[in-house]
Amino acid sequence: MSTTTSAAPDRVELEIGGMTCASCANRIEKRLNKLEGVTATVNYATEKASVSFAPGVTPDDLIAQVEKAGYTASLPAPPEPAGEEVAEDAPVRALRDRLVVSAVLAVPVIVLAMVPALQFRYWQWASLALAAPVLVWGALPFHRAAYKNLKLGTATMDTLVSLGTSAAFGWSLYALFFGTAGEPGMRHPFTFTIERASGAGNIYLEVAAGVTVFILAGRYFEARAKRRAGAALRALLEMGAKDVAVLRDGREERVPIEHLKAGDRFVVRPGEKIATDGVIVEGSSAVDASMLTGESVPVEVGVGDTVVGATVNAGGRLTVEATKIGSDTQLAQMARLVEEAQNGKAQVQRLADRISGIFVPIVITLAVATLGFWLGTGGSVAAAFTAAVAVLIIACPCALGLATPTALLVGTGRGAQLGILIKGPEVLESTRRIDTIVLDKTGTVTTGKMTLIDVVTADGQDPDEVLRLAGALEDASEHPIAQAVAKGAVQRVGALPRTEDFANVEGLGVQGIVDGHAVLVGRTRLLAEWSQHLPAELERAKAAAEAAGRTAVAVGWDGEARAVLVVADAIKDTSAEAVTRLRALGLTPVLLTGDNEAAARAVAAEVGIEQVIPEVLPADKVDVVKRLQDEGKVVAMVGDGVNDAAALAQADLGLAMGTGTDVAIEAADLTLVRGDLRAAADAIRLSRRTLGNIKGNLFWAFAYNVAGLPLAAAGLLNPMLAGAAMAFSSVFVVSNSLRLRRFQATR
């Protein structure tokens, strides 16, 4: 096996296979950390182990240690986008197929057992024929895991499921073949009477089949939530250009991006993605970096300026010389940030698994003790075994398996109706503990799009006329700021006149003839070159706009400066209300942005945020979150850009705006589909409510079963009644979960 990786010599990531619960991750982590010089963190959600090791240890040693624990480990394979999604979905589809087939077979068994009127002459044998495949094939994952745990001397929820279902099925076989349950015309009344019976006439096929189906359902919903744990990285890497127009011998040659080398020159036309990091050697343009940075204002670039791969050329034709390719690009570095932040997230122990670590061995011990007590006090073998089976069945975790997935399904379903997507149960615990919420400015608090927000005119000028002439000229330009002006003009004055002799003045603005007027729109320098200087009131308006972090566009025609148009990333109408709601939940809002401090303070003041962290570079957003966490804060992060993805993954709770990039959405724990920041408060409320529901479900799931354990051990609770109690606890759990459907968003 090759041990070569792209990671540093003392650090490696392993892909772990075979984990079925959080206790498995604990076991692997402890096993790895026993090696001298090894520090390991195993993430159950991403099924990866992040391991730092001393020079004397090799990745092969780490893999061998994991395999000794009964699991599989391997070095990450090179990415293969074409087949990766299929491979990743295959185990989930297999689990779904196992669930569907088992459910189809189990439902008639349960109905026949619970409704005596439907029990025909040989119904018990029909039940056996239907239940046997469920117990043998449907429950096979539990039996395998239980056998593996037995070899390792441990016990998990799989052990209890396997023992309970096998005991119920085994006793049913005994009753059918050696007892009286197999006689033609046998009736199996559903009764709550408590009797010290031998049990030779009772079968519990519905208990065995029902438990299997319910636990399979829980595993399927869990696997489906985990299925796309690595999708953020795939989305990030796929965001780059797929091919590039390389200059070879003076001719353009379109080649796959993999063939591009450092030092190659390539052409980027308007609207195309820049293939990789490089330096402009010819041309000038405006580059839209919003896909990568989340910041809406395009950057003017020219010869000698550096550009970043995956950003979009919004203006003229550029010739770029590649300086970094592959894993050295900024895009690849951000992908590594996302991966490191995901793997470094604190491991969440499932509540059911934490409790089962103590509960399972106790139940098994109690069942064995019950069997021994009855045999030792002169009871019959059948009565002793019946009592022991009743102990296992009353403790069998049907309701426990339903507690999390049912509450999660109802809660997430209600959330989807309200525009909130919750990725999985591991997200919920963080929502109760968070005390600080970091809000990325662009696309989260603001719209993320350039908008015309003000028209300041010189004395005697008509604002509508300014917009009509300036909008007509800007409409001929592809620049995002020009398009914002044109769109604002159309909304205010309607149809725009035609432009003649349009010309783009590099880096300064545009000029042309509109309705017989020689119009200039752009920087004040452009107007100054035509001796059109801004009067004092327009200079003040321009300075005030720029001090607030906005863009000021000068307009002049026929030899005179007429107005200043103010363009900015407008604040969403709902942001101030959202901040108020977040404060009501006990959270401290923090505004985080790459903009200058003046712009950031202006936005923060308008929405009611006191703490501002401005001028933050994309890679530094993770450091900001880490710093807050180091100060003892439990941090939630709301963002929408690719540059937010790593910070979203690092935060204790990541919330992505659904109007943002796929990468941010995949890296987050919660997605706000509407793009409305008020949904962040609703998401936290719903998540907290769902977590409370899960905890209530877990309590009652154990309360019903634990209360019945002494009765079962005393022989006062036959397995049929134990199955009824188990079923009733399941009904209670489902009913309790359905209450989440009444959750309402704050108006």
Side-chain angles (χ1 to χ4, degrees):
M1 180 182 295
S2 171
T3 60
T4 302
T5 73
S6 58
D10 62 345
R11 182 179 174 85
V12 71
E13 279 189 0
L14 299 177
E15 294 181 350
I16 307 297
M19 293 192 294
T20 58
C21 63
S23 59
C24 296
N26 255 349
R27 189 173 302 126
I28 298 169
E29 192 170 295
K30 289 178 181 177
R31 175 80 70 158
L32 286 170
N33 286 326
K34 284 181 180 178
L35 290 175
E36 188 174 350
V38 171
T39 302
T41 301
V42 180
N43 192 317
Y44 171 59
T46 60
E47 297 182 339
K48 288 184 179 180
S50 180
V51 189
S52 297
F53 53 95
V57 182
T58 68
D60 284 338
D61 297 331
L62 303 174
I63 291 171
Q65 194 76 351
V66 174
E67 290 174 347
K68 285 179 184 176
Y71 303 89
T72 63
S74 63
L75 295 169
E80 297 179 9
E84 188 174 1
E85 195 70 35
V86 175
E88 189 170 312
D89 283 351
V92 181
R93 285 202 303 272
L95 186 56
R96 180 196 62 198
D97 294 342
R98 192 181 296 270
L99 169 62
V100 170
V101 172
S102 298
V104 169
L105 294 173
V107 167
V109 177
I110 296 171
V111 171
L112 283 172
M114 297 299 181
V115 186
L118 298 178
Q119 294 171 0
F120 50 90
R121 184 172 176 79
Y122 291 105
W123 71 274
Q124 67 271 47
W125 296 102
S127 293
L128 176 63
L130 292 170
V134 177
L135 266 295
V136 175
W137 176 76
L140 188 59
F142 310 129
H143 300 322
R144 281 176 177 164
Y147 176 67
K148 180 171 67 177
N149 292 327
L150 179 64
K151 290 196 298 182
L152 296 170
T154 60
T156 65
M157 291 297 294
D158 290 312
T159 307
L160 199 55
V161 173
S162 180
L163 273 177
T165 55
S166 298
F169 187 65
W171 184 261
S172 298
L173 291 177
Y174 165 79
L176 284 169
F177 288 99
F178 302 104
T180 59
E183 296 177 357
M186 184 275 283
R187 290 290 184 271
H188 197 213
F190 186 70
T191 175
F192 286 97
T193 56
I194 298 174
E195 56 182 345
R196 289 176 174 266
S198 68
N202 295 329
I203 58 174
Y204 313 112
L205 294 171
E206 78 285 356
V207 173
V211 167
T212 299
V213 170
F214 287 136
I215 304 301
L216 277 175
R219 290 285 169 86
Y220 168 67
F221 295 129
E222 177 184 22
R224 192 175 65 171
K226 287 168 53 184
R227 178 177 57 183
R228 302 186 67 187
L233 297 178
R234 286 198 301 276
L236 190 56
L237 293 171
E238 290 173 4
M239 197 178 68
K242 301 299 184 288
D243 54 28
V244 57
V246 180
L247 288 173
R248 301 268 168 85
D249 299 325
R251 293 182 298 104
E252 292 184 27
E253 182 180 340
R254 182 71 60 172
V255 299
I257 190 66
E258 294 81 10
H259 295 172
L260 186 65
K261 300 175 183 177
D264 283 348
R265 294 190 174 190
F266 57 93
V267 174
V268 189
R269 291 182 173 79
E272 288 184 342
K273 289 181 181 178
I274 296 173
T276 193
D277 297 3
V279 176
I280 297 173
V281 295
E282 184 181 327
S284 63
S285 181
V287 172
D288 180 2
S290 59
M291 286 181 65
L292 194 63
T293 66
E295 302 300 335
S296 57
V297 180
V299 179
E300 299 282 353
V301 294
V303 175
D305 291 333
T306 59
V307 289
V308 178
T311 56
V312 178
N313 177 16
R317 182 180 186 273
L318 297 174
T319 301
V320 180
E321 182 175 315
T323 56
K324 295 179 181 178
I325 58 171
S327 60
D328 295 328
T329 63
Q330 185 173 330
L331 185 65
Q333 290 168 1
M334 293 181 75
R336 282 195 293 273
L337 279 175
V338 174
E339 189 167 26
E340 288 171 7
Q342 282 185 333
N343 291 334
K345 183 175 287 190
Q347 182 176 326
V348 178
Q349 294 290 332
R350 300 271 183 170
L351 293 174
D353 287 314
R354 285 205 296 269
I355 298 170
S356 70
I358 303 171
F359 186 66
V360 174
I362 291 176
V363 169
I364 294 173
T365 302
L366 183 58
V368 173
T370 300
L371 182 67
F373 173 80
W374 277 83
L375 292 175
T377 55
S380 68
V381 173
F385 193 71
T386 300
V389 170
V391 169
L392 285 174
I393 291 176
I394 192 66
C396 203
C398 172
L400 193 61
L402 285 171
T404 294
T406 53
L408 184 66
L409 282 175
V410 178
T412 53
R414 181 58 184 150
Q417 293 175 334
L418 301 173
I420 302 163
L421 302 181
I422 304 172
K423 280 205 170 174
E426 66 276 1
V427 170
L428 304 176
E429 287 189 89
S430 298
T431 62
R432 180 156 289 186
R433 297 181 294 110
I434 58 172
D435 53 34
T436 302
I437 185 162
V438 176
L439 306 175
D440 177 65
K441 182 182 78 69
T442 305
T444 302
V445 177
T446 63
T447 62
K449 296 179 181 178
M450 299 302 288
T451 306
L452 178 66
I453 61 172
D454 197 8
V455 180
V456 183
T457 60
D459 289 342
Q461 300 299 321
D462 180 9
D464 287 354
E465 180 67 5
V466 169
L467 280 179
R468 200 173 71 85
L469 298 180
L473 189 60
E474 293 282 58
D475 194 39
S477 172
E478 296 177 352
H479 196 289
I481 291 177
Q483 288 299 305
V485 172
K487 184 177 180 181
V490 169
Q491 291 174 344
R492 183 159 168 177
V493 302
L496 302 175
R498 293 186 59 183
T499 298
E500 299 174 2
D501 297 333
F502 172 85
N504 180 37
V505 183
E506 183 178 326
L508 294 179
V510 293
Q511 62 186 43
I513 306 298
V514 182
D515 281 354
H517 299 288
V519 183
L520 301 172
V521 181
R523 299 180 186 271
T524 54
R525 201 172 115 203
L526 174 63
L527 274 67
E529 288 181 358
W530 290 81
S531 298
Q532 298 182 18
H533 301 285
L534 296 185
E537 66 267 28
L538 294 186
E539 283 285 5
R540 286 194 295 270
K542 175 178 177 292
E546 291 175 346
R550 296 167 176 172
T551 301
V553 180
V555 181
W557 66 82
D558 296 344
E560 186 179 345
R562 312 278 180 161
V564 167
L565 307 179
V566 181
V567 178
D569 184 5
I571 295 173
K572 294 179 181 177
D573 295 337
T574 57
S575 292
E577 182 184 350
V579 169
T580 301
R581 293 186 184 180
L582 291 170
R583 287 188 186 279
L585 291 171
L587 307 178
T588 301
V590 178
L591 186 67
L592 183 68
T593 178
D595 286 351
N596 62 63
E597 185 166 1
R601 293 283 177 193
V603 172
E606 193 165 338
V607 298
I609 297 176
E610 296 171 3
Q611 190 172 344
V612 179
I613 305 177
E615 300 179 16
V616 179
L617 296 175
D620 294 338
K621 292 190 176 183
V622 180
D623 295 332
V624 170
V625 173
K626 286 181 179 177
R627 187 174 75 243
L628 290 170
Q629 290 171 328
D630 290 341
E631 293 172 1
K633 296 180 173 63
V634 184
V635 181
M637 167 81 183
V638 187
D640 75 326
V642 175
N643 68 314
D644 301 321
L648 289 169
Q650 173 64 37
D652 299 284
L653 179 70
L655 299 93
M657 307 301 284
T659 50
T661 64
D662 291 341
V663 179
I665 291 169
E666 293 297 345
D669 303 307
L670 294 164
T671 300
L672 313 178
V673 177
R674 301 196 307 264
D676 184 344
L677 189 56
R678 290 179 300 182
D682 291 331
I684 293 170
R685 284 178 52 240
L686 176 60
S687 296
R688 288 177 175 178
R689 184 82 58 84
T690 305
L691 176 63
N693 192 281
I694 289 174
K695 288 183 175 181
N697 284 348
L698 291 172
F699 171 79
W700 286 108
F702 276 104
Y704 279 115
N705 294 351
V706 171
L709 279 173
L711 295 176
L716 300 175
L717 187 65
N718 62 40
M720 172 59 74
L721 192 55
M726 184 201 66
F728 184 68
S729 68
S730 301
V731 171
F732 181 89
V733 162
V734 173
S735 301
N736 189 45
S737 298
L738 290 175
R739 292 190 304 117
L740 289 169
R741 291 193 299 184
R742 298 197 293 268
F743 178 87
Q744 296 293 329
T746 306
R747 298 294 179 185

